[in-house]
Amino acid sequence: MRGALGRDASAGGAGGGKGGDDAAAGIIRHDRKCRDLPFLALFAAFWVAMIVNSSFGFNQGSPLRLTYGLDYKGNICGSKHGDPDLSELDVRYWVNPNQVYQSGLKNSTSDLADAKSICLMECPYPAEDGLNFVCDYPEGDIRLSVDDWIDRDYDYFEYLTPDMRNSSLQLQGPCYPIIFPSINVYWSCQFIARPSNVSLKHWQQMGGVSIDENMLIDKTIHNTINYKSSVLKRYVADIGKSWPVLIVCGGLLPLFLSLIWLAMIRYFVAGMPWITVILFNALVISVTTFFYIKAGWIGNDPLTVVIGPSDPYVSIGGREINHLHAAAVLMTVVAAKVIGEVHALIIFPVVPYFALAIIYMFWFAATLYLFSSGQVLQNDCNAECCSFDLKLGKVNCDSCCGYSVHYAPHIGIAILFHLFGCYWATQFFIACSSTVIAGSVASYYWARGEISHDIPFHTVVSSLKRLLRYSLGSVALGSLVVSSVEWVRCILKALRRRLKGVDSTGESRLGKTVSSSSHCCLGCIDWTIKSVNRNAYIVIAVTGKGFCKASELATGLIMNNILRIGKVNVIGDVILYLGKLCVSLSSALFAFLMLDTHKYRSAHNKISSPLFPVLLCWALGYMVAQLFFGVVETSVETIILSFCQDAEEHDGEAQYAPPLLMETLGDTSQLQRLTQGP
């Protein structure tokens, strides 16, 4: 291990009298050349593929599809590119109640996607003293503009010819009776199975066909709105609607809090453990309380699935409420478990912070388009229906099938590829930040008074130059390893949960063997990530070695000095980890507060649930905190590794360590007692 870290012989030994910059150069610049270049090329090629993959989404996607439905012509409700212009008509309404009823019957050949639907401004309600109609978009012989049609509450029944009236009484359009009240649930009019007796009586007196009355007319639309894919689309759409919250609470707020935290660590070292623990407890309780409020378990301000005024006699829930219940319980468990148990470097993380900000903005935009990408095509159905075609001027029975978004077969792979690319890019920039910081701190340690006590800015710039010139390939390889291992770990965890669900009694030998093996693999993966993450980057920054060799050197140095490293790292790691959680929880708390305003609770900007935006702000806040707190973590680990190598090179007595570090780590007699026993 000698020569893994430390002063290069060309620097003139321990007492070289060179100036600060020259000394730092002698310390760091030895046997340095470009490493792991194929992986840098792989990283670049991967991002070319990411751009191509995203362009597929930008070309075939439309984020409006994630929120609004399609009418019977294949138009997206709320789109100005529809025929007619539907920019103000964003609520989907199924005009024929019998089609809705029949599509919900078991073994039915019809589907709700094929039932005739049009886009309205708001859900219609039956008249109190008569019968109102909702008529098809005005065209053909109906000489009304769309604005006039809207002003007339979509009703031009009085203008119909006798043939059109007779067709309408057969529920074939172009006008359809409003018999059932409906309510706007996520921009789809859900029928309430409580028909208006007055309207139904007028309909029967006019000679209209019988209309099916059953709870099924309610459940059919409800089940469609609450289908898993529909809920997932709304969650992704929530991200697009709440982008100001993501910028403020996921980007700017954690940046501000992280800088304040680093300043407090610098000037209030003694009190930071208590401040961190108390603040963390307060924040985790606050976020948990918000989940309980929105889940409806505390107070009277739960999440509502209804947009606009709601019917006081009807209570409508959805999967979003169930997901908030699960999140509230999970936060309770987490809270109970946790509660029961340098100037230039501070500025430097702003560089990877802005790089990640640009990547995340591109990534989020591409995500919205990828999730909505596909072609709007007419369904292939066997439905038997007829409706009046205003352009043809007669009843047409040929175009009964509705329209749906047909996704490409490889869309699932494209989305997974997109997610992995984001994670790899995040790990890459965190690794770059750690490498630059490690190179700067190592220069400070091995100079021993030859440079100033505060790490100068040019030392950070020099470390950055070395990274860009020599070590980007190694960083790309390291971030790829960490990203791949994390994904394997997630797959193994999912496999273990599936095995527990299948064999809950634990009697299967195969199940026990696979579960034990996966548990062992998870332990090895955790150890691998911890050992190769920052410590390997430290060795890369100091020695210029490739990633694999640097990981080997770092692991050997850690194993040889495990007691010394553990003696310092344990408490510091816990405090820094709690600090990251404080920043991320603050981001989540402020996201809750911003999303609880009128802007995100009504009209077009209404989000289906605060769950995704809040969790995303939490994750973004944690990533930003990790960038800035990495200054302290990487600095501490670099100093410790340098001290251990210094001691190994000088027969157990570190020559470059300052007195305070010697006092903390240099007690060899105590170390001897711990290793040899009494």
Side-chain angles (χ1 to χ4, degrees):
M1 283 300 299
R2 293 186 180 277
L5 297 174
R7 178 183 291 277
D8 181 25
S10 64
K18 295 182 181 182
D21 201 24
D22 292 337
I27 296 161
I28 300 297
R29 294 179 189 165
H30 58 292
D31 189 29
R32 193 171 289 266
K33 61 181 181 180
C34 296
R35 308 279 185 177
D36 301 320
L37 285 179
F39 292 95
L40 180 59
L42 176 63
F43 183 74
F46 187 89
W47 265 93
V48 171
M50 279 281 290
I51 295 174
V52 173
N53 185 56
S54 300
S55 65
F56 166 78
F58 286 119
N59 183 45
Q60 297 197 9
S62 174
L64 288 176
R65 297 173 187 166
L66 300 174
T67 301
Y68 307 112
L70 302 176
D71 68 3
Y72 76 97
K73 292 185 173 183
N75 299 316
I76 304 173
C77 293
S79 173
K80 64 181 180 181
H81 302 296
D83 179 23
D85 184 355
L86 303 176
S87 54
E88 297 181 354
L89 309 173
D90 53 13
V91 182
R92 178 174 50 173
Y93 176 71
W94 285 272
V95 293
N96 190 334
N98 280 357
Q99 284 186 339
V100 175
Y101 176 82
Q102 292 164 8
S103 64
L105 294 173
K106 291 184 178 179
N107 303 322
S108 174
T109 58
S110 60
D111 188 81
L112 189 61
D114 300 319
K116 187 166 185 174
S117 62
I118 62 175
C119 302
L120 307 177
M121 291 187 67
E122 55 188 14
C123 295
Y125 212 81
E128 296 181 358
D129 56 355
L131 177 64
N132 292 340
F133 289 84
V134 168
C135 300
D136 200 352
Y137 303 128
E139 55 188 2
D141 293 335
I142 305 300
R143 306 298 182 183
L144 285 177
S145 66
V146 173
D147 290 337
D148 292 336
W149 174 66
I150 295 174
D151 292 338
R152 296 181 57 85
D153 291 330
Y154 327 108
D155 185 356
Y156 51 75
F157 184 80
E158 61 183 276
Y159 295 155
L160 299 183
T161 64
D163 289 341
M164 291 180 182
R165 290 197 177 199
N166 182 60
S167 173
S168 297
L169 293 176
Q170 303 299 315
L171 286 181
Q172 295 179 348
C175 294
Y176 300 83
I178 305 175
I179 304 297
F180 295 91
S182 58
I183 192 167
N184 185 347
V185 179
Y186 295 134
W187 296 277
S188 289
C189 294
Q190 179 174 320
F191 287 149
I192 301 173
R194 191 179 67 238
S196 167
N197 292 329
V198 175
S199 298
L200 190 58
K201 181 180 178 181
H202 279 79
W203 172 253
Q204 292 170 346
Q205 289 176 348
M206 294 174 65
V209 298
S210 61
I211 291 180
D212 299 314
E213 303 175 36
N214 195 292
M215 283 295 296
L216 191 62
I217 202 169
D218 178 346
K219 294 180 179 179
T220 301
I221 298 178
H222 179 79
N223 293 337
T224 300
I225 295 172
N226 282 281
Y227 196 67
K228 291 180 180 179
S229 61
S230 301
V231 175
L232 178 59
K233 289 177 183 178
R234 288 199 294 269
Y235 279 160
V236 176
D238 289 342
I239 297 174
K241 294 179 182 179
S242 58
W243 64 265
V245 178
L246 299 182
I247 292 176
V248 174
C249 298
L252 300 180
L253 181 63
L255 170 64
F256 176 72
L257 293 178
S258 298
L259 290 174
I260 290 180
W261 210 274
L262 290 180
M264 292 178 68
I265 288 176
R266 178 178 175 86
Y267 295 108
F268 303 101
V269 177
M272 282 306 294
W274 291 106
I275 295 174
T276 302
V277 172
I278 293 172
L279 187 59
F280 173 75
N281 290 340
L283 286 169
V284 74
I285 291 173
S286 300
V287 174
T288 304
T289 302
F290 258 107
F291 273 114
Y292 272 85
I293 291 173
K294 288 304 172 184
W297 286 344
I298 295 180
N300 56 357
D301 189 29
L303 174 72
T304 174
V305 301
V306 178
I307 300 171
S310 60
D311 191 314
Y313 302 102
V314 179
S315 176
I316 300 176
R319 289 181 181 270
E320 290 83 359
I321 299 292
N322 296 331
H323 294 166
L324 283 175
H325 288 169
V329 173
L330 179 61
M331 280 298 302
T332 303
V333 174
V334 172
K337 182 177 180 180
V338 175
I339 293 175
E341 306 198 357
V342 196
H343 293 312
L345 289 183
I346 290 177
I347 298 173
F348 171 72
V350 173
V351 177
Y353 167 84
F354 281 110
L356 278 177
I358 294 172
I359 289 177
Y360 282 161
M361 285 189 288
F362 165 78
W363 187 84
F364 283 132
T367 299
L368 291 174
Y369 280 90
L370 269 177
F371 266 86
S372 62
S373 60
Q375 292 181 318
V376 177
L377 300 175
Q378 192 167 24
N379 299 330
D380 184 12
C381 67
N382 297 318
E384 296 180 1
C385 66
C386 299
S387 62
F388 198 94
D389 191 323
L390 289 173
K391 288 185 176 180
L392 297 178
K394 63 179 182 178
V395 174
N396 182 13
C397 298
D398 296 332
S399 301
C400 291
C401 299
Y403 286 79
S404 300
V405 179
H406 291 251
Y407 297 97
H410 64 277
I411 187 64
I413 298 176
I415 291 174
L416 288 177
F417 183 83
H418 192 65
L419 293 173
F420 181 80
C422 178
Y423 192 76
W424 187 6
T426 301
Q427 292 298 323
F428 178 82
F429 282 102
I430 291 176
C432 288
S433 179
S434 299
T435 305
V436 173
I437 293 168
S440 304
V441 174
S443 300
Y444 167 80
Y445 178 91
W446 292 99
R448 195 177 67 171
E450 295 170 0
I451 57 177
S452 62
H453 294 292
D454 287 333
I455 299 176
F457 191 75
H458 64 76
T459 307
V460 179
V461 174
S462 298
S463 183
L464 177 60
K465 288 180 179 178
R466 289 191 296 272
L467 166 71
L468 297 177
R469 183 174 179 182
Y470 299 110
S471 302
L472 280 179
S474 300
V475 169
L477 172 57
S479 57
L480 175 61
V481 169
V482 172
S483 302
S484 302
V485 167
E486 284 281 8
W487 276 62
V488 171
R489 183 171 68 169
C490 291
I491 294 173
L492 289 177
K493 283 186 175 180
L495 178 62
R496 293 191 70 214
R497 286 194 297 268
R498 181 66 60 87
L499 288 174
K500 287 182 179 179
V502 172
D503 184 21
S504 58
T505 61
E507 296 178 355
S508 170
R509 290 185 178 181
L510 177 61
K512 286 183 177 181
T513 303
V514 175
S515 179
S516 301
S517 302
S518 63
H519 184 71
C520 180
C521 290
L522 285 175
C524 295
I525 288 171
D526 284 333
W527 181 87
T528 302
I529 292 176
K530 291 178 181 178
S531 63
V532 305
N533 203 5
R534 277 192 304 271
N535 294 317
Y537 299 138
I538 292 170
V539 178
I540 290 172
V542 177
T543 66
K545 301 292 185 184
F547 177 78
C548 296
K549 183 63 176 178
S551 300
E552 178 188 347
L553 295 175
T555 303
L557 196 57
I558 292 170
M559 297 305 295
N560 291 340
N561 298 271
I562 189 67
L563 291 179
R564 279 179 173 170
I565 294 173
K567 182 179 176 182
V568 174
N569 260 12
V570 174
I571 300 299
D573 283 349
V574 170
I575 297 302
L576 288 172
Y577 178 67
L578 289 180
K580 294 177 191 176
L581 290 180
C582 283
V583 173
S584 59
L585 284 170
S586 299
S587 301
L589 180 61
F590 277 91
F592 257 128
L593 294 174
M594 288 188 67
L595 292 170
D596 202 35
T597 57
H598 177 73
K599 177 180 179 180
Y600 298 105
R601 298 177 64 176
S602 61
H604 300 281
N605 287 324
K606 177 180 172 63
I607 59 171
S608 63
S609 171
L611 184 61
F612 257 41
V614 167
L615 292 180
L616 193 54
C617 286
W618 190 343
L620 290 174
Y622 189 86
M623 295 307 303
V624 174
Q626 188 170 352
L627 275 177
F628 285 86
F629 282 50
V631 171
V632 179
E633 293 175 323
T634 306
S635 298
V636 170
E637 292 181 4
T638 303
I639 292 292
I640 294 174
L641 285 181
S642 297
F643 178 88
C644 294
Q645 182 65 25
D646 190 8
E648 284 194 9
E649 291 182 354
H650 298 94
D651 300 324
E653 294 292 335
Q655 299 295 315
Y656 291 87
L660 181 59
L661 190 62
M662 285 291 295
E663 182 181 346
T664 305
L665 295 176
D667 191 353
T668 55
S669 61
Q670 182 184 11
L671 184 66
Q672 206 170 32
R673 287 196 303 271
L674 289 172
T675 55
Q676 295 179 358

